Amino acid sequence: MPRILYASDLHGSDTMFRKLVNAAIVYKADAIIVGGDITGKGIVPIVKKGQEYYMNLYGATYKASTQEELNELIKKASSVGFYPYIFDREEDVKTLDNEDTFNKLLLQLSIERLRSWIEYAESKLKDQKIEFYMMPGNDDPLEIDKTLNGSQIIVNHSDRVVDILNGEYQLLGNSNANITPWKCVRDIPEEELKEKLEKLMAQVRDFSRLLLNTHCPPYGTSLDLAPKLDKDLKPVVSGGGLAMEHVGCKSVREIIEKYQPLLGLHGHIHESRGAEKIGQTLILNPGSAYNEGVLMAALINIDKNKVKGYMFLKS
């Protein structure tokens, strides 16, 4: 009975990625699937002052006086998805105020982190019979695809239909999202997304053995509820709590309703960890707590054209 370990929205968290690879070994998964948003969002400066190094993270200041302590600072920032970068002078940190300089460095560090992940996966899984599939998400820069495509062990399944689990099933991946308030690089209109998905569906042999992995969850479910934002992109408070609204893809829901794949694997909305059914299709969003260095994932057993069971993991 094939077993899948699925996670999404790693956002650069070194700890989350390493936990995911090791969890696949511990739980004897046959395949790992990562559903997008794999790069981090920010740079954390580590400033050298004399013989010491200082880092601010989440409002706290950390100091390192030895190489071992410096390594711990780097690990602390990397574990929650940031890219630590050492500056020899405090005034050099101001170069990050330039948007172009910041973006170039962020891309460089994103690619370096992704390469380190690929190397880690290759070292840990070289003697394991575990298939590994990972795609970008709407937040991820287009430039990372080249690095991901160069892996000998990880398959980039974005905008592809690939055979999985020794060819017994197919996996369809899509890294896009409908237009978000942040207008991310892979955000596209619903009509365009629907057209892309229809073209991919034409490549599917048997929908009852299809794993549909769209980064964005289907609209109007428990998987796509996010805080409602005002015109300044600040959360709206209503009745003493956050007002929530559905923000998923209507086109993804239409595709699931029409073709009824075996399984829908989704991410994008970190707060909406959950599972439900659209017709006969089980849809899952494991959620994400990358900013805490916590792995949130789903372990799924399938058998022929049935989902035999699933379990949410948090570690």
Side-chain angles (χ1 to χ4, degrees):
M1 183 184 301
R3 177 171 293 173
I4 299 161
L5 182 61
Y6 176 72
S8 187
D9 299 84
L10 279 61
H11 285 292
S13 171
D14 234 0
T15 299
M16 189 174 174
F17 182 82
R18 292 169 184 264
K19 285 180 177 180
L20 178 68
V21 172
N22 286 288
I25 297 171
V26 170
Y27 287 101
K28 295 180 169 52
D30 298 290
I32 303 168
I33 302 175
V34 178
D37 281 2
I38 56 180
T39 57
K41 295 173 176 285
I43 300 169
V44 172
I46 298 178
V47 182
K48 185 177 182 182
K49 297 180 180 179
Q51 299 303 310
E52 297 177 326
Y53 296 86
Y54 292 84
M55 178 183 79
N56 290 314
L57 182 65
Y58 291 142
T61 300
Y62 300 89
K63 182 179 74 171
S65 303
T66 66
Q67 185 62 48
E68 183 178 354
E69 291 175 348
L70 177 59
N71 291 341
E72 283 301 311
L73 293 192
I74 292 171
K75 182 178 179 181
K76 184 181 289 290
S78 301
S79 69
V80 293
F82 287 107
Y83 299 115
Y85 191 79
I86 297 174
F87 289 88
D88 290 329
R89 300 184 308 166
E90 189 167 11
E91 54 264 35
D92 291 340
V93 178
K94 295 180 181 178
T95 61
L96 298 182
D97 293 339
N98 180 281
E99 185 176 0
D100 187 55
T101 299
F102 176 86
N103 288 335
K104 285 182 178 178
L105 182 58
L106 183 65
L107 178 60
Q108 173 193 323
L109 298 175
S110 298
I111 290 173
E112 289 175 2
R113 176 76 50 85
L114 180 55
R115 283 176 180 157
S116 74
W117 284 3
I118 291 170
E119 291 172 1
Y120 183 79
E122 289 173 347
S123 68
K124 295 293 290 187
L125 301 178
K126 62 182 179 181
D127 297 322
Q128 304 287 330
K129 294 182 179 179
I130 300 176
E131 301 174 26
F132 199 156
Y133 304 87
M134 182 162 70
M135 70 177 186
N138 69 315
D139 264 357
D140 293 317
L142 300 174
E143 292 87 347
I144 70 164
D145 293 60
K146 181 178 179 181
T147 300
L148 189 56
N149 292 338
S151 172
Q152 299 300 307
I153 192 168
I154 300 175
V155 176
N156 179 3
H157 60 291
S158 177
D159 293 322
R160 299 175 61 194
V161 177
V162 298
D163 286 343
I164 185 174
L165 298 169
N166 297 316
E168 294 184 19
Y169 299 84
Q170 286 182 294
L171 171 65
L172 188 160
N174 177 264
S175 58
N176 300 114
N178 50 318
I179 304 298
T180 67
W182 299 274
K183 297 179 173 58
C184 298
V185 66
R186 300 180 200 252
D187 289 355
I188 60 176
E190 287 276 13
E191 298 78 9
E192 185 179 341
L193 181 51
K194 178 74 175 297
E195 184 178 352
K196 289 182 73 171
L197 291 174
E198 286 285 7
K199 288 180 178 178
L200 289 169
M201 282 292 183
Q203 303 174 36
V204 176
R205 295 188 299 268
D206 182 352
F207 299 117
S208 71
R209 292 201 176 201
L210 174 65
L211 312 181
L212 176 67
N213 179 204
T214 62
H215 178 63
C216 191
Y219 179 83
T221 66
S222 60
L223 280 60
D224 80 322
L225 282 168
K228 185 176 182 179
L229 304 178
D230 63 19
K231 59 182 178 62
D232 297 316
L233 302 183
K234 294 181 179 179
V236 175
V237 177
S238 176
L242 289 177
M244 305 293 282
E245 65 178 345
H246 295 289
V247 296
C249 290
K250 295 179 180 179
S251 52
V252 170
R253 182 174 188 123
E254 290 170 5
I255 287 290
I256 293 174
E257 289 175 340
K258 179 178 178 180
Y259 293 101
Q260 292 287 277
L262 171 62
L263 183 63
L265 300 171
H266 314 284
H268 189 45
I269 311 302
H270 305 173
E271 309 92 331
S272 286
R273 176 182 177 114
E276 65 177 76
K277 279 194 169 186
I278 296 179
Q280 297 301 309
T281 301
L282 175 68
I283 57 173
L284 299 169
N285 177 359
S288 175
Y290 77 92
N291 56 339
E292 301 172 25
V294 172
L295 171 65
M296 298 179 74
L299 195 64
I300 309 146
N301 291 329
I302 57 177
D303 184 22
K304 298 179 181 178
N305 60 349
K306 294 182 179 180
V307 177
K308 299 299 287 186
Y310 68 91
M311 176 175 66
F312 284 127
L313 307 177
K314 185 176 182 178
S315 65

